[in-house]
């Protein structure tokens, strides 16, 4: 009997192929949307972590209070010793001291007069130590457009767009005009070793990156750093781990009223990222939930129509002697089978397409042009464990539900009524 | 051949709600049918022929009275018991053939036997025999869409007869057939009626069918107005 019904199912495209395609399409759209939105969130969090917040960040309390102003006069001091302590206390994390600064970058002509100049957003990081992960973490090697990364003291890299706008060539001298940590004027010459493009609109306009030792020297911040960023293993952020670490760390200094005492903050606690992620997560929940609901209605309707279309067939089967219960159960089995096949197919396609976009991304520079948010121009999907089962909700449950509701008509109708529908 | 009573109706009434009132489709029907009968319910449209056939076939329940089919009161049967009665003892033939379009001729005829739980070997033997009765042994693999109307109805007859039912209920079986095919089908039914001693009960107003009947029950407005036995006049053309 099972094989007999299966043959009918396979031969009738209206009962097999078309519903499978509808389910697969619905499931695919659901998964793709989910992966895409998760990818956008992940990119946002990862980009912020790499460039600005770390998974945890240590600053002085005074610096943390007004961190948006980059108050380097409140920077951490005796950083070398502090880093050694951190590496000993938290050996699983990679610690990266950084100095953020702003200033003017001036490009003189052959007579030493200003030929061109522009404001820069500066970042001093460990580019020259052998054990530094910074170049890999930020993908600087891949980001180089012209020239190369700094290989010795006194070299910097700048944004490709900044260099193009100001007509700067590789090897040119650039003078940084900024303020020291003590409020004095800082003037320091550098050589432009290369130009880079992060693919992040907020940075690609006017970034300058130099080795942290050069910036410490230029800004009078010997053995100091504005902030020390900590990264969990494999760049996998875990809010619970980060929070626990931050609580333990901060507890050690809770008794001190010193503004210069260090404070550890998690990624979520910085730049309102937590609130933003909560809002985005809620939006994702609403959007994906809405999508699943709509797809469920579509697939439910498909199941309903399929069931109604078969009232005639049901009439024949009842006349021949099949019981209503058996007819109903076989419809549910069929629906389950179709739902499973469609869901698996949709999941395979949806996850595959998502994986493609996870690997290759999609260039969307226009979307975030002018944005100050640290987001990649190339948006990516991300495949998570939930990607493999989220499609089952519309794919299987809605299909089954549609068929079950349509099938109730079998019981509610007089058998003779099914016959009349058979005759029409 | 022992002619025992297979179907008996007692004070059978069937009402349908219509607007705020009720429409009486069958009114005080008292009939009995023996095994081996070749009987027709005749009358104009709306006279209650199909309703009576549905009640006898355990597809519908009477509003009042009883229909006892092969010893079972159909109004007392649940879905499963009704299905079992149809499965084991009843064969249906419809005006519009109602073959399952995705299955071939063999599979359409095989379906009732699957429900009876017969082995593949027995099913094959019985299906081929039924197709031989209706002269379609060469169309085993054909789909309904590849058959003529007459051939489709012959498949429907084979499907109804393959389990050798005690009762065959045929609702306007020739309505969609031309004269030649109608006579062909009717000759075949007469032959099966004699060979298997199945009771054939028709709902019809087709004169061609009426000529073949041995008993004619005339219904008008849900009442039996005439119940006569007659000599069949099979087509000799």
């Amino acid at each position: 009997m099972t094989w007999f019904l299966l043959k009918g199912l396979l031969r009738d495209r209206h009962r097999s192929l078309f519903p499978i395609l509808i389910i697969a399409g619905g499931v695919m759209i659901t998964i793709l949307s989910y992966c895409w939105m998760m990818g956008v969130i992940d990119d946002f969090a990862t980009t912020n972590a790499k460039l600005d917040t770390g998974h945890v960040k240590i600053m002085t309390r005074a610096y943390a209070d007004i961190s948006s102003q980059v108050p380097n006069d409140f920077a951490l001091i005796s950083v070398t010793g502090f880093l050694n302590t951190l590496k000993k206390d938290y050996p699983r994390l990679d610690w990266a001291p950084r100095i953020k600064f702003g200033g003017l970058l001036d490009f003189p002509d052959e007579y030493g007069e200003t030929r061109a100049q522009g404001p820069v957003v500066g970042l001093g990081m460990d580019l020259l130590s052998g054990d530094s992960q910074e170049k890999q973490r930020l993908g600087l090697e891949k980001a180089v457009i012209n020239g190369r990364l700094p290989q010795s003291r006194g070299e910097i890299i700048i944004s490709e767009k900044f260099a193009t706008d100001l007509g700067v060539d590789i090897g040119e001298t650039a003078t940084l005009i900024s303020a020291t940590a003590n409020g004095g004027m800082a003037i320091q010459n550098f050589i432009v070793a290369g130009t880079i493009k992060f693919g992040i609109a907020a940075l690609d306009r006017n970034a300058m990156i130099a080795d942290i030792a050069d910036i410490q020297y230029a800004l009078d911040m010997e053995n100091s750093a504005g902030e020390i960023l900590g990264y969990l293993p494999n760049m996998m952020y875990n809010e619970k781990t980060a929070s626990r670490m931050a609580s333990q760390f901060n507890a050690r200094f809770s008794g001190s009223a010193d503004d210069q005492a260090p404070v550890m903050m998690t990624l979520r606690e910085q730049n309102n990222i937590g609130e933003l992620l909560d809002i985005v997560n809620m939006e994702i929940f609403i959007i994906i939930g809405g999508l699943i609901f709509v797809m469920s209605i579509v697939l439910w309707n498909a199941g309903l129509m399929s069931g109604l279309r078969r009232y005639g067939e049901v009439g024949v089967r009842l006349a021949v002697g099949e019981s209503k219960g058996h007819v109903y159960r076989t419809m549910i089995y069929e629906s389950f089978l179709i739902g499973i096949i469609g869901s698996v197919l949709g999941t395979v396609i949806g996850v595959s397409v998502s994986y493609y976009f996870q690997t290759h991304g999609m260039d969307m520079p226009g979307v975030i042009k002018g944005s100050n948010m640290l987001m990649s121009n190339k948006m990516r999907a991300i495949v998570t464990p939930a990607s493999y089962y989220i499609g089952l909700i519309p794919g299987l449950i809605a299909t089954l539900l549609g068929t079950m509701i349509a099938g109730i008509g079998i019981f509610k109708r007089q058998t003779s009524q099914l016959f009349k529908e058979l005759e029409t | 051949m022992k002619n025992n009573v297979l179907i008996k109706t007692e004070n059978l009434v069937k009402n349908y709600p219509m607007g705020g009132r009720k429409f009486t489709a069958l009114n005080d029907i008292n009939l009995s049918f023996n095994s081996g009968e070749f009987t027709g319910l005749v009358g104009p449209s709306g006279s209650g022929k199909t309703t009576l056939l549905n009640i006898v076939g355990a597809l519908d329940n009477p509003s009042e009275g009883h229909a006892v089919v092969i010893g079972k009161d159909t109004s007392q049967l649940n879905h499963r018991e009704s299905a079992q009665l149809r499965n084991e003892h009843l064969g249906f033939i419809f005006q519009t053939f109602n073959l399952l379009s995705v299955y071939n001729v063999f599979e359409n005829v095989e379906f009732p036997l699957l429900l009876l739980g017969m082995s593949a070997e027995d099913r094959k033997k019985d299906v081929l025999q039924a197709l031989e009765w209706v002269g379609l042994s060469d169309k085993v693999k054909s789909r309904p869409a590849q058959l003529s109307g007459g051939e489709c109805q012959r498949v429907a007859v084979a499907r109804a007869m393959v389990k050798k039912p005690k009762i065959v209920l045929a609702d306007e079986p020739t309505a969609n057939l031309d004269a030649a095919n109608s006579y062909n089908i009717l000759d075949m039914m007469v032959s099966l009626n004699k060979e298997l001693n199945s009771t054939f009960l028709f709902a019809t107003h087709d004169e061609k069918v009426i000529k073949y009947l041995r008993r004619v029950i005339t219904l008008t407005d849900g009442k039996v107005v005439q119940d006569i036995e007659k000599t069949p006049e099979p087509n000799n053309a």
Side-chain angles (χ1 to χ4, degrees), chain A residues 1-11 334 337, chain B residues 103:
Chain A
M1 190 70 181
T2 305
W3 175 236
F4 183 84
L5 294 172
L6 202 58
K7 269 194 289 190
L9 186 64
L10 293 173
R11 288 175 189 168
E334 277 184 23
L337 190 65
Chain B
Y103 295 107

Side-chain angles (χ1 to χ4, degrees), chain A residues 75-304:
Chain A
L76 294 159
I77 56 173
S78 303
V79 168
T80 309
F82 189 38
L83 275 171
N84 287 335
T85 306
L86 287 173
K87 284 174 186 171
K88 192 176 141 197
D89 292 348
Y90 305 97
R92 291 175 65 237
L93 271 74
D94 184 57
W95 297 100
R98 289 187 186 174
I99 298 174
K100 289 196 278 190
F101 60 94
L104 275 175
L105 205 54
D106 185 280
F107 298 92
D109 61 14
E110 59 199 55
Y111 304 110
E113 299 294 329
T114 295
R115 177 183 63 77
Q117 66 172 206
V120 286
V121 174
L123 192 57
M125 60 174 62
D126 187 357
L127 295 176
L128 302 178
S129 299
D131 60 348
S132 170
Q133 300 292 312
E134 292 282 66
K135 283 189 281 191
Q136 290 85 348
R137 186 155 36 236
L138 294 177
L140 291 180
E141 297 279 4
K142 289 181 187 171
V144 172
I145 303 297
N146 288 307
R148 55 172 173 73
L149 294 179
Q151 291 175 348
S152 59
R153 294 284 299 270
E155 292 183 338
I156 60 168
I157 46 177
I158 58 174
S159 300
E160 167 68 10
K161 185 174 184 304
F162 186 66
T164 305
D165 290 348
L166 299 183
V168 177
D169 293 324
I170 305 300
E172 260 194 68
T173 297
T175 303
L176 173 66
I177 304 167
S178 185
T180 68
N182 303 315
M185 190 168 182
I187 298 177
Q188 183 69 38
N189 283 345
F190 294 96
I191 300 294
V192 178
T195 62
I196 55 165
K197 185 177 179 184
F198 282 107
I200 298 167
L203 278 182
D204 284 337
R205 284 192 285 273
N206 54 352
M208 166 189 164
I209 297 176
D211 183 66
I212 191 166
D214 281 335
I215 300 305
Q216 284 171 334
Y217 180 73
L219 303 185
D220 205 8
M221 293 175 67
E222 289 298 324
N223 203 19
S224 298
E227 44 201 46
I228 296 174
L229 277 52
Y231 293 95
L232 291 161
N234 302 316
M235 280 301 288
M236 296 293 287
Y237 180 64
N238 183 307
E239 175 60 22
K240 278 186 185 170
T241 306
S243 285
R244 192 174 59 243
M245 260 174 48
S247 298
Q248 288 169 355
F249 181 89
N250 294 332
R252 283 156 55 184
F253 301 94
S254 60
S256 168
D258 185 0
D259 269 0
Q260 290 297 312
V263 60
M264 185 185 284
M265 296 177 82
T266 67
L267 185 150
R268 277 184 64 89
E269 291 169 332
Q270 301 173 61
N271 304 348
N272 297 323
I273 289 175
E275 289 83 348
L276 194 62
L277 288 180
D278 288 343
I279 291 168
V280 173
N281 273 326
M282 179 56 74
E283 284 176 355
I284 285 180
F285 179 78
I286 292 168
I287 291 169
I288 295 295
L291 192 66
I292 288 174
F293 179 74
V294 169
M295 285 315 305
S296 297
I297 295 286
V298 169
L299 296 175
W300 171 14
N301 192 48
L304 200 62

